[in-house]
Each structure stands twice: as C-alpha cells, then as structure tokens.
Amino acid sequence: MELPSTHTIAVVVREPGCKARFELESVPIPELGPQDVLVQLSVTGVCGTDVALASGELGPTRRILGHEGVGRVVRLGSGLSESQVRLGQRVGVAWQRDICGACAMCLTEGGETRCFEQLNSGRKVDGTFAEYTLVPYRYLTTLPEGPGDEMLAPILCGGVTIYKGLKICGATPGQWIVISGAGGGVGSLGIQFSKAMGYRTIAIDAGKEKEDYCLSLGAEVYIDLTTAADVPLVVREKTGGRGAAAALVTAGSGKAYQDALRMLGPFGRLVCIGIPPPSQLVNFHPLLFIDMGITIIGSAVGTRLDIQEAISFVERGLVRPTVQMTTLDKLSAVSEQITQGKAIGKFVVRFRED
Ligand SMILES: [Zn+2]
Ligand SMILES: [Zn+2]
C-alpha cells in the first residue's frame, strides 16, 4: 500500500480557550512501536467533547483532537504479523485508545471504560483529526464491512454512549424513557436506539425544528423547553401520571438534571451522560430517593463489545445517523455550530475525495 513519504495533513488546535480555533498543519506520520498498527482514516466524526476540549474547560489536551475515526490498517509494527491483524482490516478509532488491563477498574467487569490509566484521543494521545493515527494492537476495535464510513463514525462515541446508557437504564421494553437534549448529536441517535430497543421515547429539546427532527426519528412525544412552563409536569401527564422509567440526560446543563429527577416514576433511573459546567450543581433531598427508590447512575462511553453491539443496529438498518459531511479545513466553523447547539445531526469529516 502506498503511503505518503513522511508528512500528512492534520488539524491542530491553536490558542486553546475561548478563542480556540482549528488550523490545518502538515504533521509527521507517526512512527510505529513494535505492537502498534498504523491506521489511515477515511472519515472522522466531530463530537461535542472535541469542542469542549478545544475550549480548555476540560484541562490540557493534545493539539490533535478527534475520536470518531473510521479507517483501515495500512502498516504493522515490527512485532506484529498479518496472522494477528491483516493489512486493510477496517477499524474504528474511538475515545479510548488503550487501557492498562491491571487497575481495579479494568479488573472489575464492565470497568474498562473507567480505567484509571486510560489513554484518550486528544487527551494523552493524538486524536483522529489527522489522516494517519497509531493504535496499540491490544486495543484495536475492528469494524465489519458493509455500512458506509460516515454511518459508523458517529457510533464510535455519540452512538455507543447513548446505546450504553439505554442498555443500563433499567427500563423494560414498552416503558417510557426520557431523553433530555434529544435533538443533539448523542440524543438523536438515542431516539433511534430507544425505538429499536422497544422503549417509548419522550424527547426534550428546544424549538420547533428539533421537534420535527425528533418526531421523524421515532420519538412519540416532544417537549419544547422554550414553550413548556413545567417540563417534569408534562412528562407526568404524558406518562399517565406515573412518570418515566428512566431519564437519560445528554444535555450539559444542571437544570436538565434537576428537572429529570422530578420526571421519574417508581424505581426510576437517572442516567448521567451530559457534562454541565462545574458551577452547575444539582440539589435534592434524600427523601426523594427513599420514597421513590430512584437510582442515579453515570455512563461513560462503551466497551469495544458495546461498540460492536451498537454497530449491529446500523448494520440492520434500525439506526441511521443523520450526518452532514464536511472537510478538515471547515472545523472551526463546524465547532461554532456545535457550540450554539443548532446543528442537526452529526458532522463527519471526509479526509479525501474518492
Ligand atoms: Zn465524543
Ligand atoms: Zn486500567
């Protein structure tokens, strides 16, 4: 396979903070360690977390962000052979790039997404806003052939995150679940997964455009934050007074969490996904939990198995991400649109025209 000599194009963050912008730069193709594979990406999704990382509010980052890459293996480290991974294998490059396999989290079933030593795209290792990236063989996420690259990229972070949240939300098919921030990149995938998993979905977001979008994806009820005076009350009404079996908050807003606590029915589960700014705390009285048997749980992306499960919904045509294709040089404008919360669906960058 032909590779460019030594350099390739990437997008880097300049002036992290409120003035952060993304700029094209020529970067060296990363050098492989013995157990690494070199992946040539064809597309990468753009996630809200990338925008948050660029703003500096989540702490120090690498210059190259991005964590929803889809591509193929083009080179193997000296310690690997094609009996382990073949050249041309389709792979995904997600938020989690490696885990230690030895910490208390890794040793706990399902704990690998919370590994204390985990390497994350754009945090400790360069992300997918570059055409070439390295992945350790031991933590390779292989992808099936079939669905287009742009259909798989959004699943690698946004999709698997909401799929995992639904998987652990404790609801039974036929019960009502609420998705707060339902018109966003994560929430909109959630509506489709939720429907495919047999739940009845109440979508919460702001504005008429999001209403049409959420209902078209399979939400049964839409509640508009800009017009509903008391959102939890509307949820109670729509669920026949019972309340929802689970509420998944993808919105990065303390108010969304506060409201969600009042929407839950008996033994309801609040699943925390969206990350509000540190100043936005949630208040509650313990009696709420004592009386109602409510549980609050956090969900963090998903394991490689969760990714494969989530992708099987795409393969079966049950989940079809709404995507807007873009190119690396437009990343600053794209991130602005994500910040404003107006974007419909997910942005996916294609590295080169076929
Ligand atoms: Zn993400
Ligand atoms: Zn670990």
Side-chain angles (χ1 to χ4, degrees), residues 89-159:
Q89 169 68 48
R90 197 180 202 192
V91 295
V93 182
W95 173 243
Q96 217 160 8
R97 296 289 281 272
D98 199 6
I99 57 169
C100 75
C103 73
M105 272 301 181
C106 282
L107 295 177
T108 305
E109 198 189 330
E112 71 177 66
T113 62
R114 295 184 169 93
C115 169
F116 296 132
E117 307 291 333
Q118 65 182 287
L119 297 183
N120 299 126
S121 278
R123 258 215 180 127
K124 288 185 192 153
V125 295
D126 283 339
T128 56
F129 293 161
E131 194 180 356
Y132 291 88
T133 193
L134 288 184
V135 180
Y137 166 68
R138 68 174 184 173
Y139 207 71
L140 198 61
T141 303
T142 59
L143 297 178
E145 298 294 337
D149 295 325
E150 72 285 0
M151 290 291 113
L152 296 184
I155 305 300
L156 292 171
C157 176

Side-chain angles (χ1 to χ4, degrees), residues 225-264:
L225 287 169
T226 60
T227 54
D230 186 341
V231 173
L233 194 66
V234 182
V235 171
R236 295 224 160 259
E237 283 166 15
K238 299 289 183 188
T239 55
R242 184 184 170 93
L248 290 84
V249 179
T250 70
S253 141
K255 172 81 165 54
Y257 280 98
Q258 197 73 59
D259 279 354
L261 280 175
R262 288 201 295 130
M263 295 169 190
L264 294 170

Side-chain angles (χ1 to χ4, degrees), residues 96-333:
Q96 217 160 8
R97 296 289 281 272
D98 199 6
I99 57 169
C100 75
C103 73
M105 272 301 181
C106 282
L107 295 177
T108 305
E109 198 189 330
E112 71 177 66
T113 62
R114 295 184 169 93
C115 169
F116 296 132
E117 307 291 333
Q118 65 182 287
L119 297 183
N120 299 126
S121 278
R123 258 215 180 127
K124 288 185 192 153
V125 295
D126 283 339
T128 56
F129 293 161
E131 194 180 356
Y132 291 88
T133 193
L134 288 184
V135 180
Y137 166 68
R138 68 174 184 173
Y139 207 71
L140 198 61
T141 303
T142 59
L143 297 178
E145 298 294 337
D149 295 325
E150 72 285 0
M151 290 291 113
L152 296 184
I155 305 300
L156 292 171
C157 176
V160 72
T161 298
I162 196 72
Y163 166 71
K164 184 62 175 278
L166 287 161
K167 191 174 158 182
I168 62 171
C169 82
T172 307
Q175 287 188 318
W176 286 103
I177 64 125
V178 172
I179 299 178
S180 174
V186 176
S188 58
L189 287 163
I191 297 173
Q192 298 184 53
F193 277 112
S194 173
K195 186 179 180 195
M197 291 161 95
Y199 306 129
R200 307 183 70 184
T201 313
I202 298 175
I204 301 176
D205 212 307
K208 173 75 179 137
E209 198 186 353
K210 299 263 175 154
E211 170 167 16
D212 297 341
Y213 180 48
C214 291
L215 295 177
S216 76
L217 295 174
E220 285 186 48
V221 172
Y222 177 81
I223 304 175
D224 188 342
L225 287 169
T226 60
T227 54
D230 186 341
V231 173
L233 194 66
V234 182
V235 171
R236 295 224 160 259
E237 283 166 15
K238 299 289 183 188
T239 55
R242 184 184 170 93
L248 290 84
V249 179
T250 70
S253 141
K255 172 81 165 54
Y257 280 98
Q258 197 73 59
D259 279 354
L261 280 175
R262 288 201 295 130
M263 295 169 190
L264 294 170
F267 298 99
R269 262 184 211 186
L270 171 59
V271 183
C272 307
I273 294 170
I275 305 171
S279 60
Q280 294 184 18
L281 302 180
V282 183
N283 290 305
F284 58 82
H285 191 283
L287 205 52
L288 176 67
F289 303 92
I290 295 165
D291 284 345
M292 293 290 288
I294 283 170
T295 317
I296 300 184
I297 44 175
S299 190
V301 288
T303 62
R304 287 170 298 169
L305 178 64
D306 294 322
I307 289 175
Q308 284 173 359
E309 289 174 2
I311 279 173
S312 75
F313 284 77
V314 180
E315 288 184 282
R316 293 161 63 208
L318 298 172
V319 169
R320 191 177 164 76
T322 312
V323 298
Q324 297 191 50
M325 298 308 292
T326 185
T327 46
L328 269 190
D329 54 304
K330 304 212 172 66
L331 223 45
S332 285

Side-chain angles (χ1 to χ4, degrees), residues 32-39 73 75-87 134-140:
L32 287 92
Q35 295 294 318
D36 290 332
V37 304
L38 182 68
V39 175
V73 173
R75 202 180 274 173
L76 303 181
S78 59
L80 296 171
S81 75
E82 280 212 75
S83 63
Q84 292 161 291
V85 54
R86 66 180 172 78
L87 292 170
L134 288 184
V135 180
Y137 166 68
R138 68 174 184 173
Y139 207 71
L140 198 61

